[in-house]
Amino acid sequence: MRHAEGPLLTIDVGDRSADRVPIDDLLEATIGGRATATHLAHERIPFDADPFGPENRAYVSTGPLQVSRTSFTGRMNMTALSPLTDGLASTNAGGYLSRNFADTGISVLELVGASDELLAIHVTDDGVEFEPVPELAGALVSEVSDYVAEERDLGPEHCLAIGPAGENLVRFASVMTFDTRAFGRGGLGAVLGSKNVKCVTFEGDSPPDVAFPEDVASAIHSKAATADDPMRRQGTTHGTEFINDNFSLPTRYFSETSFEDVAGIGGDAVGEKKYKKGACSACAFACKLPTRDEATGVETEGPEFETVYAYGSNQGVGDVVDVMRANELCDELGMDTISAGVTVAAYLASEDEFGNAELAREVTEQIAHREGIGDRLAEGVHRVHDELGVEDWTVKGLEFAAHDGRALHGLGLQYAVAGRGADHMYATMQSLEYRGTVDPEGTAGKAETVVEQENFAAFRDSGIVCAFSGSYVDESDLEALFDADYADLLDVGAGVVERERHFHNERGRAAEADRLPYDLPDLGDSIREYYDRRGYDADGTVPEDLIQSSHVPAAD
């Protein structure tokens, strides 16, 4: 099985030490990315750890495809104990970091401990440097990039950074790279903030030697470059009007299921503001959205569909420029636009202020700095909904993505059982239900598909292959790229899902957490079928015999 190469680099930011340890056996068994990080986290983060404590560990990891030169491979993984969900969370980001990370010669970076002063950490193929940066306290993400450019002559494609939200331990703070690409879900920016790490840079000239079948890689790249795909013009927003008209676009804090002003924030509105192509490293698909509004001068990358929903329809805002402003603000402050937008929508609901985009931005700023009402909202919807007098639109503490399980019932089942909670990327059931491959009505009989989709998504995030590659990279391509049978690749994914749930079981989470804030047909029976197909016990716990040894080195 083709896998990532290179040691685990463990950095203790408390005692400012760095140690490289070979993990060849682990990489061979887990490929890289999310799977390798999850196995490490499962063994090395104490089950009773505080997400904000020095014992929590944050992992940045790459897969074997990140040293190839083909499309759909410009991504990285991050994994840690989430301060938002209180469970393991993995999130990935695109951009241009992955090749620079691989050039340092490592496969995984592990951050542990806590510094007594704000740090920039510089990782090269020669070693690690710790730089106190008190002058970056409170700095916006782009200001961190400016500092790194001036002091290190490195662009934002070499850097991970947090904004004020991470420093202030906002539970949905993101880690940013290339200024506008986010390791968004789960609050991992707050984990770095708790360790007093403002940024990490990567530079080197020691990429691992991983050979790929050039004919397969070239064919994928060619298909990406020539595809006539609306994603290449409007990104993920291309389906906004279709979803609004035929399924559900959550509106005004989930009180409605369609938005009358969708045309003002949908794919055409975003496409009109796009002024150049945008891509991730080595990718010819170029589905990103550099946008600019000439009248106001607002310029950002996006908004993608999730932001259109979170800061648009779900707040009752129908002007794409307002959504662009919110998108830029969240990037600079370092916050997940989904959780931030939904939390602000909950506040607008409590104040009867839907449609007030200016207030939404003011509150977003307050959240990042924990000022006024922002201090409470920084805890997320699950922890503040009673105080606001609104419903708790979360699963396992994670705010809902745009795709609505009330209309897509298989997705609702996915949300209920997913380790990360209400995250559409955990199994992407919505893709099958939008296309009609799976009937969106009912949950009965869908547990097997959820299992298969979860396994594939976990493998995909280990490779790492972009989620938007589905029409261009098939099973035979994956078998050739990873030199393995497809069933074996799915087995790697299954091990990820099992270890996540076992970790959560050890923290006291079992079947009672697999719930939704709404009813779906046959949901209870479908959850029990899911447990059965996974080999879990009836209470949603993972039997110990499913957790096999994975050659993880012992934590120091």
Side-chain angles (χ1 to χ4, degrees), residues 293-444:
D293 179 59
E294 299 293 346
T296 61
V298 176
E299 187 172 320
T300 186
E301 185 170 86
E304 297 288 352
F305 174 61
E306 295 297 332
T307 311
V308 161
Y309 134 81
Y311 273 94
S313 64
N314 214 26
Q315 295 183 8
V317 172
D319 185 339
V320 71
V321 178
D322 284 323
V323 182
M324 289 168 61
R325 285 192 178 100
N327 187 82
E328 180 185 31
L329 187 59
C330 285
D331 286 349
E332 285 280 32
L333 297 170
M335 287 195 292
D336 172 26
T337 60
I338 301 176
S339 285
V342 171
T343 303
V344 172
Y347 175 75
L348 296 180
S350 72
E351 297 293 308
D352 194 23
E353 286 283 358
F354 286 126
N356 191 336
E358 183 177 353
L359 176 60
R361 291 193 297 274
E362 290 175 5
V363 172
T364 298
E365 286 264 17
Q366 289 179 309
I367 290 171
H369 297 286
R370 281 190 175 267
E371 296 173 346
I373 187 60
D375 187 44
R376 291 295 301 132
L377 297 178
E379 296 293 296
V381 166
H382 178 65
R383 292 173 174 84
V384 78
H385 73 280
D386 278 339
E387 182 178 330
L388 295 179
V390 300
E391 293 185 50
D392 181 6
W393 279 92
T394 69
V395 178
K396 301 180 176 75
L398 186 70
E399 288 77 13
F400 275 88
H403 309 280
D404 198 334
R406 294 173 295 180
L408 307 167
H409 295 170
L411 178 66
L413 173 61
Q414 169 194 313
Y415 284 153
V417 299
R420 286 201 297 262
D423 180 358
H424 63 299
M425 298 306 293
Y426 201 83
T428 62
M429 283 292 290
Q430 72 277 4
S431 298
L432 302 179
E433 293 182 309
Y434 284 142
R435 292 197 302 264
T437 306
V438 172
D439 185 347
E441 288 292 324
T443 63

Side-chain angles (χ1 to χ4, degrees), residues 526-547:
S526 297
I527 290 173
R528 286 186 285 273
E529 182 186 353
Y530 172 85
Y531 295 161
D532 185 60
R533 290 191 176 276
R534 280 276 179 214
Y536 300 162
D537 292 334
D539 62 354
T541 58
V542 181
E544 292 292 334
D545 59 7
L546 278 184
I547 306 299

Side-chain angles (χ1 to χ4, degrees), residues 83 85 112 180 187 195 247 251 255 263 279 307 330 348 353 390 412 454 456 458 468 470 487 510 530 541 556:
T85 70
V112 66
T180 58
K195 298 183 179 305
F247 293 94
T251 297
S255 63
T307 311
C330 285
L348 296 180
E353 286 283 358
V390 300
E454 283 184 337
F456 175 75
F468 301 146
Y530 172 85
T541 58
D556 294 334

Side-chain angles (χ1 to χ4, degrees), residues 9-54:
L9 172 62
T10 297
I11 296 177
D12 189 317
V13 302
D15 61 24
R16 300 193 188 178
S17 63
D19 187 29
R20 295 187 184 221
V21 177
I23 53 170
D24 297 343
D25 289 345
L26 176 62
L27 290 169
E28 185 175 353
T30 59
I31 299 178
R34 177 179 163 194
T36 304
T38 299
H39 282 242
L40 286 164
H42 180 271
E43 297 300 317
R44 294 165 70 98
I45 299 176
F47 292 136
D48 62 352
D50 179 349
F52 290 141

